[in-house]
């Protein structure tokens, strides 16, 4: 059985004080839930402070990005061992905003994924098609390419620890969601691709849906057999809606 993962991607939101307030609220509201794994991914500068708050709670901590080198002259970058030592468990890699605004390639995603594993972090690898690609019937080609290149060279054991987030780009922050059935079909396809490269590990690996996940669509998404949770952007910034989403996934 795959345990669903609901992860909140806060993106570039919340000062340390605001972040701590939200986390303290979430700790109270989400206390005792263990049928679903819950992670929050605040901005990097807040990770160390929040790590102290979530220690010994059911909230896991995720970063939104990292660099693949361990240390050195890479001004402005943060390495996987640095994240690990402040108590980070997960790291989002290859989010469409990183790909679009910071020109991240599938090859860079792959280097980051390998570096994350080396530091015992669990990557959440994001894939998904643009609206134009979807309209031209290229959704499967796009995600196949991203999955194959992003996961190249991993072992089946690592695969089990990895999470994929299928996020159609046109659904991110737009209020539009893929229908639960459509999302399920693409996710089933992604699992087949992974199975063809890595065998049965694919059935243990979690694949989330992301893109305008809200309290009013999470239940339907979670009834789909292939959808193992959600990567939540905007709605993860509000304690009411994030709590409802977690509860909707139970
Ligand atoms: P959204 O973002 O929920 O605000 O659409 C999802 C994401 O970018 O991970």
């Amino acid at each position: 059985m795959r345990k669903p993962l609901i992860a909140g991607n806060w993106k570039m939101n919340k000062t340390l004080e605001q972040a701590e307030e939200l986390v303290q609220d979430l700790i109270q509201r989400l206390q005792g839930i263990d049928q679903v794994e819950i992670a929050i991914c605040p901005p990097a500068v807040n990770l160390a402070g929040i790590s102290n708050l979530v220690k010994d709670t059911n909230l896991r901590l995720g970063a939104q990005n990292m660099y693949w080198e361990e240390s050195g002259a890479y001004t402005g970058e943060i390495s996987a061992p640095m994240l690990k030592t402040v108590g980070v468990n997960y790291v989002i890699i290859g989010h469409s905003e990183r790909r679009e605004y910071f020109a991240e390639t599938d090859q860079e995603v792959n280097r980051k994924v390998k570096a994350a594993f080396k530091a015992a972090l669990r990557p959440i690898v994001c894939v998904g098609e643009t609206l134009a690609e979807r309209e031209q019937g290229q959704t499967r080609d796009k995600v196949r390419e991203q999955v194959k290149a992003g996961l190249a060279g991993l072992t089946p054991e690592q695969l089990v620890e990895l999470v994929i987030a299928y996020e159609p780009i046109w659904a991110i922050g737009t209020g539009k969601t893929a229908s639960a059935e459509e999302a399920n079909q693409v996710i089933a396809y992604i699992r087949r691709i992974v199975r063809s490269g890595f065998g049965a590990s694919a059935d243990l690996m979690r694949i989330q849906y992301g893109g305008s996940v809200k309290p009013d669509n999470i239940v339907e998404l979670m009834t789909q057999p292939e959808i193992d949770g959600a990567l939540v952007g905007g709605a993860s910034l509000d304690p009411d809606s994030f709590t409802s989403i977690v509860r909707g996934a139970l």
Side-chain angles (χ1 to χ4, degrees):
M1 265 304 282
R2 300 184 296 258
K3 189 174 194 170
L5 170 65
I6 302 291
N9 173 11
W10 294 8
K11 308 192 179 182
M12 196 175 74
N13 292 293
K14 306 280 180 196
T15 61
L16 179 58
E17 199 181 331
Q18 293 165 340
E20 286 178 342
E21 195 180 315
L22 175 54
V23 170
Q24 266 150 351
D25 197 352
L26 291 175
I27 290 171
Q28 296 298 322
R29 291 169 187 249
L30 299 171
Q31 206 175 353
I33 295 177
D34 69 355
Q35 311 91 307
V36 169
E37 198 177 355
I38 309 162
I40 49 167
C41 308
V45 71
N46 297 340
L47 286 168
I50 290 181
S51 176
N52 288 324
L53 296 179
V54 299
K55 209 184 296 167
D56 305 321
T57 75
N58 57 343
L59 298 191
R60 305 272 76 83
L61 192 58
Q64 299 174 15
N65 182 34
M66 50 163 270
Y67 193 55
W68 58 77
E69 295 291 348
E70 288 184 5
S71 63
Y74 304 102
T75 301
E77 295 295 329
I78 296 171
S79 73
M82 291 172 189
L83 295 175
K84 186 68 189 175
T85 52
V86 295
V88 169
N89 315 102
Y90 286 96
V91 56
I92 299 171
I93 295 179
H95 189 278
S96 64
E97 287 150 17
R98 303 267 349 144
R99 294 176 188 262
E100 185 181 348
Y101 305 138
F102 303 97
E104 276 192 17
T105 64
D106 288 332
Q107 288 63 38
E108 289 172 343
V109 167
N110 185 245
R111 293 181 82 166
K112 291 184 178 192
V113 168
K114 288 176 175 162
F117 275 124
K118 201 167 166 208
L121 292 173
R122 303 179 70 171
I124 300 175
V125 178
C126 301
V127 300
E129 80 286 1
T130 62
L131 185 57
E133 288 162 343
R134 184 179 194 86
E135 285 172 351
Q136 287 159 23
Q138 293 168 352
T139 298
R140 290 181 178 217
D141 293 342
K142 177 68 177 289
V143 298
R144 185 176 60 245
E145 223 171 89
Q146 289 179 320
V147 167
K148 283 191 157 180
L151 275 49
L154 300 187
T155 65
E157 292 72 32
Q158 287 173 324
L159 246 288
V160 177
E161 300 294 314
L162 182 117
V163 178
I164 293 179
Y166 167 58
E167 302 202 300
I169 295 168
W170 50 271
I172 295 178
T174 57
K176 294 180 194 158
T177 26
S179 75
E181 293 77 18
E182 282 173 316
N184 190 63
Q185 279 172 16
V186 179
I187 288 176
Y189 176 71
I190 291 172
R191 204 178 298 284
R192 285 204 295 279
I193 299 296
V194 175
R195 197 179 294 122
S196 72
F198 298 92
S201 298
D203 297 309
L204 301 173
M205 182 193 71
R206 291 174 297 181
I207 310 182
Q208 303 172 295
Y209 169 77
S212 296
V213 173
K214 301 279 183 297
D216 61 8
N217 57 27
I218 185 68
V219 175
E220 204 195 342
L221 287 163
M222 291 304 297
T223 57
Q224 299 294 323
E226 294 290 339
I227 302 182
D228 304 321
L231 184 55
V232 186
S236 71
L237 297 170
D238 175 68
D240 279 337
S241 55
F242 191 63
T243 303
S244 302
I245 289 170
V246 171
R247 294 200 175 278
L250 292 177

